[in-house]
Amino acid sequence: MLLIDGVKYMVWAPTDEDELENMVQEHAKDIFGSDCLYFDLKHKLKGNSVAAIPDGYAITFNPDQWWIVEVELSSHPVYEHIQNQVGRFIAALPNPNTRPEVTNALWQEINADKAMIGNLQNKKGNEVYKWLSDLVNQQPQLAIIIDKEAQGLDDAIAAFKIQPKICELVSYTREGVGLAVHAHSFEPVFRSLMIMCHRDWF
């Protein structure tokens, strides 16, 4: 239970991964930074013998980094599902076609958004595609966003050459109200513990 100014909030568990993905998309700028770019893009990473589809991609700045994002439920098997999925992302990266394909997929999203490309031109100059290509050719960051701690997850990812950052996005709903008034407790990938409240009015 979470107690805020005498008001009780009870732990809320998403019924499926789509619900958690919606939460991540809504709060992407809280998780990855206020100036991040988050792409709810299901672009497949294809290796020579493996393939897997991340739940999203993100770009953060200062320093510039690109992120492969996997949204998971703690109820999923750690080794059979989460480790397997993230391992496939890493295994696909050496394929020479993988990064150009990611670059083009992200570029389509960026180029279709006039505000986004204008913002990037202000930050990086007119050669946005070249900047993006150079960025994706760098080592990515991996983020696993999960609804609560999953026992054994740290051990399952310990051997990966790219170490994912785990963000436990724990959600609470106000007692007697439900999801219309909710709170999240999580550690963003860029700073220390944050507790934020969110209210939707109907």
Side-chain angles (χ1 to χ4, degrees), residues 8-45:
K8 294 179 180 179
Y9 288 75
M10 313 307 291
V11 173
W12 173 82
T15 57
D16 57 37
E17 206 169 277
D18 287 343
E19 283 190 318
L20 186 57
E21 284 186 36
N22 290 337
M23 292 286 189
V24 171
Q25 189 172 6
E26 179 183 357
H27 296 296
K29 290 187 178 296
D30 302 302
I31 296 169
F32 291 99
S34 59
D35 63 346
C36 82
L37 302 178
Y38 186 78
F39 304 90
D40 181 31
L41 176 64
K42 304 299 187 284
H43 173 75
K44 182 182 291 186
L45 298 175

Side-chain angles (χ1 to χ4, degrees), residues 108-122 128:
Q108 288 181 17
E109 297 290 312
I110 291 169
N111 199 39
D113 188 322
K114 291 182 179 179
M116 186 184 297
I117 196 164
N119 183 42
L120 280 172
Q121 286 172 339
N122 288 335
V128 175

Side-chain angles (χ1 to χ4, degrees), residues 32-33 35-37 58-67 135 189:
F32 291 99
D35 63 346
C36 82
L37 302 178
I59 295 174
T60 55
F61 300 93
N62 299 318
D64 296 355
Q65 296 176 317
W66 71 285
W67 296 75
L135 177 63
V189 299

Side-chain angles (χ1 to χ4, degrees), residues 7-13 19 23 171-184 197-202:
V7 178
K8 294 179 180 179
Y9 288 75
M10 313 307 291
V11 173
W12 173 82
E19 283 190 318
M23 292 286 189
S171 301
Y172 303 82
T173 58
R174 182 169 175 171
E175 186 178 44
V177 178
L179 198 57
V181 180
H182 60 269
H184 302 293
C197 295
H198 180 84
R199 180 188 298 269
D200 292 321
W201 295 98
F202 295 92

Side-chain angles (χ1 to χ4, degrees), residues 78-95:
V78 168
Y79 286 91
E80 295 87 345
H81 183 85
I82 302 176
Q83 184 198 57
N84 179 279
Q85 184 81 343
V86 176
R88 286 172 177 268
F89 300 157
I90 296 171
L93 289 170
N95 185 319

Side-chain angles (χ1 to χ4, degrees), residues 43-47 50-54 57 68 89 92-93 98 102:
H43 173 75
K44 182 182 291 186
L45 298 175
K46 294 177 286 188
V50 297
I53 302 175
Y57 296 86
I68 300 169
F89 300 157
L93 289 170
T98 297
V102 171

